Amino acid sequence: LNKKEVEITFVKANGERIKAKGKIGDSLLDVVVNNNIDLDGFGACEGTLTCSTCHLILKPGDYESLPDKPTDEELDMLDLAYDLTDTSRLGCQIYLSEKLDGLEVKVPATINDARS
Ligand code: FES
């Protein structure tokens, strides 16, 4: 059986909008990788919560309605990201569900690799 796909829109700092599809259970990092979305330096640690390059900014309503709240590990790593906002999350920690179809996330202008 085909797993249902949901559509996510990534909005780059320059205003460019990139629509991409992902499967239920994929992370937003998976969506970026599987669709070959060109975001410089994004996802450097491949989802192991050690880099903060997968920083994404959500709309407040979306942030509130996400089923998975950030863990302490995620919050620690977010502290190292540039342009941190109250609705920032790490893309490798957000997993797609049917509810997320049509989600729009902002990609911050600057990506910080916390490992360097
Ligand atoms: Fe490194 Fe998410 S990809 S923390």
Side-chain angles (χ1 to χ4, degrees):
L1 277 174
N2 280 339
K3 278 213 244 165
K4 197 173 183 279
E5 291 196 317
V6 298
E7 189 176 83
I8 306 292
T9 302
F10 295 86
V11 184
K12 291 171 82 167
N14 64 6
E16 187 188 341
R17 301 168 62 84
I18 303 163
K19 281 189 196 297
K21 283 193 172 11
K23 290 193 170 62
I24 306 287
D26 280 356
S27 71
L28 289 182
L29 171 63
D30 293 329
V31 176
V32 171
V33 171
N34 294 341
N35 291 279
N36 290 315
I37 300 178
D38 183 23
L39 300 175
D40 208 22
F42 192 94
C45 80
E46 297 173 346
T48 56
L49 261 184
T50 54
C51 75
S52 89
T53 63
C54 62
H55 175 204
L56 293 170
I57 300 167
L58 281 73
K59 292 180 184 167
D62 292 332
Y63 183 88
E64 293 302 327
S65 64
L66 280 184
D68 308 314
K69 300 302 167 209
T71 60
D72 288 345
E73 286 81 8
E74 180 178 347
L75 293 173
D76 285 348
M77 197 47 60
L78 273 170
D79 276 339
L80 304 172
Y82 291 137
D83 302 328
L84 186 65
T85 74
D86 286 343
T87 59
S88 289
R89 290 291 305 263
L90 291 179
C92 67
Q93 303 300 307
I94 297 177
Y95 294 95
L96 300 183
S97 64
E98 240 162 280
K99 257 183 69 180
L100 263 53
D101 192 28
L103 182 74
E104 193 175 294
V105 294
K106 245 172 78 181
V107 183
T110 320
I111 277 173
N112 180 35
D113 190 341
R115 300 170 305 169
S116 56

